[in-house]
Amino acid sequence: MAPVSARQPGIQAALLATLYRYLPFLNWLRRYQREHLPSDVVAGIVTAIMLIPQSMAYAQLAGLPPQIGLYASVAPLIVYALLGTSGQLSVGPVAITSLLVFSGVSSLATPGSERYIQLVLLLAFMVGVIKLLLGVLRLGVILNFISHPVLAAFTSASALIIAVGQLKYILGYRIGGEHLHDTIAQAIAGLGQTNLVTLAIGLGSIALLLFFRQGLRPLLRRAGLPPLAVTLIVSGAPLLAVILGIVIAQGFQLDQTAKVAVVGAIPPGLSPLSTPAMTMADAQALLPTALTIVLVSVVESIAVAKALASKRRQAIDPDQELVALGGANIAASFFSGYPVTGGFARSVVNAQAGAITGLASLITAAGIALILLFFTPIFYYLPQAVLAATVIVAVIGLVDLREPQRIWRTNRGDAFTWLITFVAVLVLGIETGIFAGVASALVLYLWRTSRPHIAIVGRLGDSEVYRNVERHQVKTWPHVVAVRVDESLYFANTRYLEQALLRIVAERPEVKHLVLIGSAINFIDSSALHTLDHLIDELRDAGVEFHLADIKGPVMDRLKQSELLDKIGHDHIHMTTHAAMLALGCRD
């Protein structure tokens, strides 16, 4: 009998840990509890009911045939359910991603054409690969470069663009326009061409959806219905609008008698296999759009997943979420879909309906697959105005004009970033707008940190606590000045710090010692080290000794590596501000 290696159990444990990490469905599958099954089944069905009209509407928004929205709601959901760490996040087509697809690809090909669809498949593949690489390489941290004001402004501006872009389906005549103001101008100029029947269907659908969302929900709650029943009824409003639209359009043959635009024939069957055709020229042309989709969709998806997981006291793995979202988009590219992400409203409904594990998403995908297999002929007479109404009502809640007011009250610099992003998206376009917002946020950050808050501190009473002399009644000493800098030191702010410290010393001729307090310094770069070296010489020429106090370990390591400590003197390095002041004779 062969001897058993002592390393085998450890190797097996490591392999299992890796397997469970990259295939999270194995975790919930092996621990699945039978009592969770009804909740997951109900949540899957409710989300499917909501996703059927949404996916078709968002495909129309993306300039694609409606069946591609359904295709994008099967294979990507299955992949995410197997690879994702959130049991509540519902992946599929969403409004803003659909707008980004249309904005980025329509300039390269005619929407709905074979060339257009091929480019969309390539875009989905690129989005998936970028997300997958970010997750595998654990580089999701770079997505933090999109700040809340930028995302809030981008979302509100995009929602306006989406809503206005649906006017052509509501009014019943062709409306072009590259930017928002062009679209509005063309819509107003062509009002005489309005198809009144199409307008009635669109406005009626909007009224129905708004009633279910804002009027019926509180009525059902006051009637004492269980929360799950309320969620089921309200989330079924888009499907009800679709059914009513089909019945009316087919009953009166409105496509012929009133020239109402309908969806038309949808090929039955599951999504056909597809291969994204990649050329270097197409990939380069689509790269800005792919990066924009990654930035926006991942930030929103992970934020939603975290929020929903926290309510259940669960945790998600952001890097694995990137892997799962990447896999979902790659699946979309090979199964005739288009870029997908986690939808906020749909995920909330999924959670409220009781989703516990990824099984809910698998059931949703199965429901969409059944529709594709057996029920696509039903949608022939579906008026496009109904789908447009679904989009408008879905995005109208994303326009939040109170958010800039809140941002203004807390930080006017962030409000400025919000304004730049909002205006840039509306005037310059989606991709240019968001990158302008990100750039403005980074410039604002550099400006803020280049002028750090610097405080002269003194002793608070007889304690060992030192506070800003301008905010508290504190004790100071004429021969020592203690200065706290509230920022890490790097190339953009070291000159400002040097000038500020020299000015403080110049204003106090009696000062013999300057103590720089590093409690807020988390990082120091080579430029800052060079500036400190120069500052020490300048202070000594002025008869002032330089001291450091309360320096953090990582910063101290950098100081040691630079040999600056020898120049400062080890007796000039103090563990705390109070220790420095005592060492310099500041006792009473």
Side-chain angles (χ1 to χ4, degrees):
M1 185 174 180
V4 178
S5 171
R7 296 181 59 189
Q8 285 182 354
I11 294 173
Q12 291 175 354
L15 289 174
L16 284 175
T18 302
L19 195 62
Y20 287 135
R21 179 192 164 195
Y22 288 105
L23 298 174
F25 79 95
L26 294 175
N27 284 307
W28 58 259
L29 187 61
R30 64 179 177 142
R31 300 171 183 169
Y32 198 83
Q33 300 176 29
R34 186 173 297 177
E35 56 267 27
H36 291 165
L37 183 60
S39 296
D40 279 337
V41 170
V42 171
I45 294 172
V46 169
T47 306
I49 291 172
M50 186 178 185
L51 185 56
I52 291 166
Q54 273 194 355
S55 60
M56 298 172 69
Y58 292 152
Q60 178 174 280
L61 172 60
L64 296 164
Q67 66 267 22
I68 290 185
L70 295 172
Y71 295 160
S73 304
V74 180
L77 268 72
I78 294 172
V79 172
Y80 178 80
L82 299 179
L83 300 181
T85 58
S86 171
Q88 294 78 44
L89 189 69
S90 179
V91 170
V94 299
I96 291 181
T97 298
S98 300
L99 175 63
L100 288 168
V101 169
F102 180 81
S103 174
V105 184
S106 61
S107 60
L108 304 175
T110 303
S113 65
E114 186 64 30
R115 164 76 172 157
Y116 186 89
I117 293 173
Q118 281 298 318
L119 289 174
V120 169
L121 292 175
L122 175 58
L123 179 62
F125 180 77
M126 292 173 63
V127 168
V129 170
I130 293 171
K131 290 181 178 180
L132 188 63
L133 289 175
L134 288 175
V136 170
L137 300 177
R138 295 184 171 272
L139 295 176
V141 66
I142 67 174
L143 298 170
N144 294 335
F145 284 111
I146 181 167
S147 64
H148 170 70
V150 171
L151 186 61
F154 172 79
T155 301
S156 292
S158 298
L160 285 175
I161 294 173
I162 290 170
V164 171
Q166 298 304 295
L167 288 177
K168 58 187 176 185
Y169 301 112
I170 299 294
L171 297 175
Y173 59 89
R174 182 177 177 81
I175 301 174
E178 184 178 354
H179 299 300
L180 182 72
H181 57 279
D182 297 327
T183 305
I184 293 175
Q186 289 192 29
I188 294 173
L191 283 176
Q193 307 172 48
T194 301
N195 184 317
L196 295 179
V197 177
T198 298
L199 178 62
I201 292 174
L203 294 180
S205 299
I206 291 174
L208 175 67
L209 295 171
L210 289 177
F211 169 71
F212 268 72
R213 174 184 287 190
Q214 300 178 359
L216 187 59
R217 186 189 295 272
L219 289 176
L220 295 175
R221 287 175 175 171
R222 285 198 293 269
L225 266 69
L228 180 58
V230 174
T231 298
L232 179 60
I233 294 172
V234 173
S235 62
L239 188 59
L240 177 61
V242 165
I243 294 172
L244 290 175
I246 292 172
V247 170
I248 293 171
Q250 185 173 10
F252 293 96
Q253 296 291 299
L254 293 181
D255 59 323
Q256 299 176 22
T257 60
K259 296 183 179 179
V260 171
V262 296
V263 167
I266 296 178
L270 297 177
S271 53
L273 292 176
S274 55
T275 304
M278 178 178 290
T279 67
M280 187 58 66
D282 288 341
Q284 289 177 346
L286 292 173
L287 184 59
T289 302
L291 292 175
T292 305
I293 291 175
V294 169
L295 274 175
V296 175
S297 64
V298 170
V299 170
E300 180 181 3
S301 295
I302 293 182
V304 173
K306 284 182 177 179
L308 295 177
S310 66
K311 291 182 179 181
R312 291 182 172 271
R313 296 191 177 185
Q314 297 173 343
I316 68 164
D317 181 348
D319 291 312
Q320 182 59 29
E321 285 296 296
L322 285 167
V323 171
L325 292 169
N329 279 278
I330 292 174
S333 71
F334 284 101
F335 287 90
S336 302
Y338 76 104
V340 297
T341 190
F344 174 73
R346 195 164 58 242
S347 298
V348 170
V349 169
N350 194 36
Q352 291 176 344
I356 298 174
T357 69
L359 180 61
S361 290
L362 294 177
I363 292 171
T364 298
I368 304 296
L370 287 174
I371 294 294
L372 284 167
L373 285 170
F374 304 110
F375 299 103
T376 53
I378 293 175
F379 297 108
Y380 182 94
Y381 286 98
L382 173 60
Q384 292 181 357
V386 174
L387 296 180
T390 302
V391 172
I392 290 173
V393 174
V395 302
I396 197 170
L398 299 178
V399 182
D400 187 357
L401 298 181
R402 289 178 295 180
E403 184 63 18
Q405 300 175 22
R406 290 190 288 266
I407 295 174
W408 175 266
R409 288 195 298 267
T410 56
N411 191 298
R412 295 188 178 182
D414 285 342
F416 181 67
T417 297
W418 186 98
L419 181 62
I420 288 178
T421 308
F422 186 80
V423 173
V425 170
L426 293 181
V427 175
L428 302 178
I430 303 294
E431 295 167 12
T432 305
I434 192 169
F435 282 111
V438 171
S440 67
L442 292 176
V443 169
L444 179 63
Y445 170 78
L446 289 173
W447 183 83
R448 284 173 178 164
T449 56
S450 69
R451 301 172 61 85
H453 178 256
I454 296 174
I456 299 173
V457 303
R459 185 177 179 183
L460 196 62
D462 294 328
S463 70
E464 297 183 5
V465 177
Y466 290 76
R467 290 291 183 265
N468 192 335
V469 297
E470 296 181 2
R471 295 178 179 269
H472 302 274
Q473 292 290 332
V474 294
K475 187 187 302 181
T476 60
W477 291 265
H479 69 290
V480 178
V481 59
V483 182
R484 188 188 71 235
V485 55
D486 295 332
E487 187 60 69
S488 293
L489 302 182
Y490 73 117
F491 65 91
N493 61 20
T494 54
R495 293 298 180 188
Y496 178 83
L497 173 66
E498 179 184 25
Q499 293 170 4
L501 294 181
L502 291 175
R503 185 178 65 253
I504 289 170
V505 170
E507 292 171 352
R508 294 164 176 79
E510 67 277 17
V511 166
K512 301 299 180 185
H513 302 275
L514 184 145
V515 180
L516 181 62
I517 303 168
S519 56
I521 302 174
N522 298 311
F523 171 78
I524 185 169
D525 72 357
S526 58
S527 296
L529 292 172
H530 176 76
T531 300
L532 287 181
D533 190 303
H534 188 256
L535 175 64
I536 293 170
D537 292 334
E538 291 183 291
L539 290 174
R540 285 177 178 170
D541 290 342
V544 176
E545 289 296 313
F546 180 78
H547 299 256
L548 289 174
D550 208 356
I551 301 298
K552 295 181 178 179
V555 178
M556 185 64 72
D557 293 339
R558 298 297 298 272
L559 292 172
K560 291 176 180 177
Q561 293 168 1
S562 69
E563 300 179 354
L564 192 61
L565 290 185
D566 293 332
K567 184 169 186 176
I568 297 173
H570 291 274
D571 58 336
H572 284 42
I573 308 296
H574 309 276
M575 288 295 294
T576 65
T577 304
H578 187 60
M581 301 304 280
L582 291 179
L584 297 174
C586 304
R587 298 179 179 274
D588 298 320

